[in-house]
Amino acid sequence: MKEIYSEIILDHWKNPRNKGRIENADIVIEDSNPLCGDKITFYLDFEKETIRDVKFEGSGCAISQAAASMLSEIVKGKNIYDIVKLEKDEIEKMLHVSLGPNRIKCALLPLKALKLGIYSYIGKKYKT
Ligand code: ZN
């Protein structure tokens, strides 16, 4: 079976952006895709309703890791309420590929993790 990866996926897979940790991050969120073995941890710093800084660590297939890298670039400085509106279509556009039902889980894992992180930040914010 041959997988077709777009140039942009290969580029981010080989040279991930924002890879690493943020010490004392506001939110650290981890998620995984057991079907493929992908793991993603996002470190998020917030400034009111904006993501001030984001870094990630992870392991797994090229699609999941490239999607995390690309997403980290897109969401930095963005409003959290715009980010939670992102969906599958935007991720496919970002990756320049159309993915089957198995691969789409890899591509969506970083977005899912990021949204969980944002929701837990929103939850914290309104609790205190
Ligand atoms: Zn995967």
Side-chain angles (χ1 to χ4, degrees), residues 33 35-38 60-65 102-103 105-107 109:
N33 170 21
L35 285 175
C36 178
D38 307 320
C61 68
I63 290 177
S64 66
Q65 303 305 305
N102 289 325
R103 290 321 227 162
K105 291 205 171 71
C106 301
L109 172 67

Side-chain angles (χ1 to χ4, degrees), residues 31-50:
D31 205 355
S32 63
N33 170 21
L35 285 175
C36 178
D38 307 320
K39 287 193 179 102
I40 293 288
T41 305
F42 271 110
Y43 299 82
L44 301 168
D45 263 343
F46 295 89
E47 173 84 56
K48 291 179 185 155
E49 293 184 355
T50 302

Side-chain angles (χ1 to χ4, degrees), residues 3 13 33 40 43 58 66-67 71 74 83 90 92 99 113-114 123 127:
E3 303 258 12
W13 164 240
N33 170 21
I40 293 288
Y43 299 82
L71 203 56
I74 288 172
I83 297 165
E90 279 89 4
E92 282 189 308
L99 297 161
L114 196 62
K127 235 183 277 166

